[in-house]
Amino acid sequence: MEKLSEYMASTGKTYQNHAATIRRWAAEDRRKGKSIPNYTYEEGESLLWIE
């Protein structure tokens, strides 16, 4: 989501379906051999990410 938001803000482009755009980018990354982060979690774990 952040990648899409940043891309849209920097280029001025808009997309009709954000989820489809993210899925397409993920498929391209897989074809290029890029790893996709694992966002699985155990019950009771927090999904909050603090930097």
Side-chain angles (χ1 to χ4, degrees):
M1 291 297 296
E2 291 176 14
K3 179 180 174 182
L4 178 60
S5 294
E6 290 173 6
Y7 183 76
M8 290 173 61
S10 68
T11 64
K13 291 185 178 184
T14 59
Y15 295 92
Q16 291 181 354
N17 187 323
H18 293 179
T21 301
I22 292 169
R23 285 192 298 268
R24 184 175 57 88
W25 286 356
E28 288 174 6
D29 287 349
R30 279 191 300 274
R31 280 194 298 274
K32 294 176 184 176
K34 295 181 181 177
S35 64
I36 297 173
N38 180 353
Y39 293 109
T40 59
Y41 61 96
E42 298 295 324
E43 185 175 340
E45 289 182 325
S46 173
L47 298 179
L48 181 62
W49 178 358
I50 302 173
E51 287 188 42

